């Protein structure tokens, strides 16, 4: 079971909640117990799990990543000019493994799954791979 999703991003840096898409995948596949791997095949985007109740959390995360990895820096050497996006993507990571129990993702009360864009706007791809317990 592998699902490919297309995500259109709208900003250079943004976090898009994809929890609903992961839940829909679990339901469509009839998964009861196992894991779902949510994967991003891009070098300037990533996947993370964090709070989805307060939108200020996304703002604060993106703000701090910008402070740590500013878009422009005199010592960046990458010819494309998007070194910051590569650094942010490596910091966030390319995937998250989500436990599935009783047909639902095991997430904390306030947790959501996010696709993180760091070099947009772009048309992106995300994969969800499900593995059922034997």
């Amino acid at each position: 079971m592998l699902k490919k999703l297309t995500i259109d991003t709208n900003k250079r840096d943004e976090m898009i909640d994809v929890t609903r898409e992961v839940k829909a995948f679990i339901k469509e596949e009839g998964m009861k117990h196992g894991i779902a791997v949510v994967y991003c095949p891009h070098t300037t985007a990533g996947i993370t799990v964090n709070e989805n109740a307060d939108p200020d959390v996304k703002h604060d995360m993106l703000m701090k990543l910008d402070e740590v990895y500013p878009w422009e820096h005199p010592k960046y050497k990458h010819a494309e000019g998007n070194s910051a996006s590569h650094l942010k993507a490596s910091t966030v990571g390319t995937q998250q493994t989500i436990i599935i129990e009783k047909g639902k993702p095991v997430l904390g009360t306030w947790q959501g799954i996010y696709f993180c864009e760091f070099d947009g706007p772009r048309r992106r791809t995300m994969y969800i791979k499900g593995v059922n317990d034997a």
Side-chain angles (χ1 to χ4, degrees), residues 54-67:
D54 183 350
D56 288 339
V57 172
K58 293 189 303 185
H59 170 271
D60 294 349
M61 287 185 62
L62 293 172
M63 177 194 65
K64 191 60 181 180
L65 284 168
D66 273 341
E67 287 177 8

Side-chain angles (χ1 to χ4, degrees), residues 26-43:
I26 292 166
K27 186 176 182 179
E28 289 165 14
E29 295 298 328
M31 296 184 71
K32 296 297 177 205
H33 305 281
I35 59 171
V37 177
V38 183
Y39 175 72
C40 168
H42 304 287
T43 60

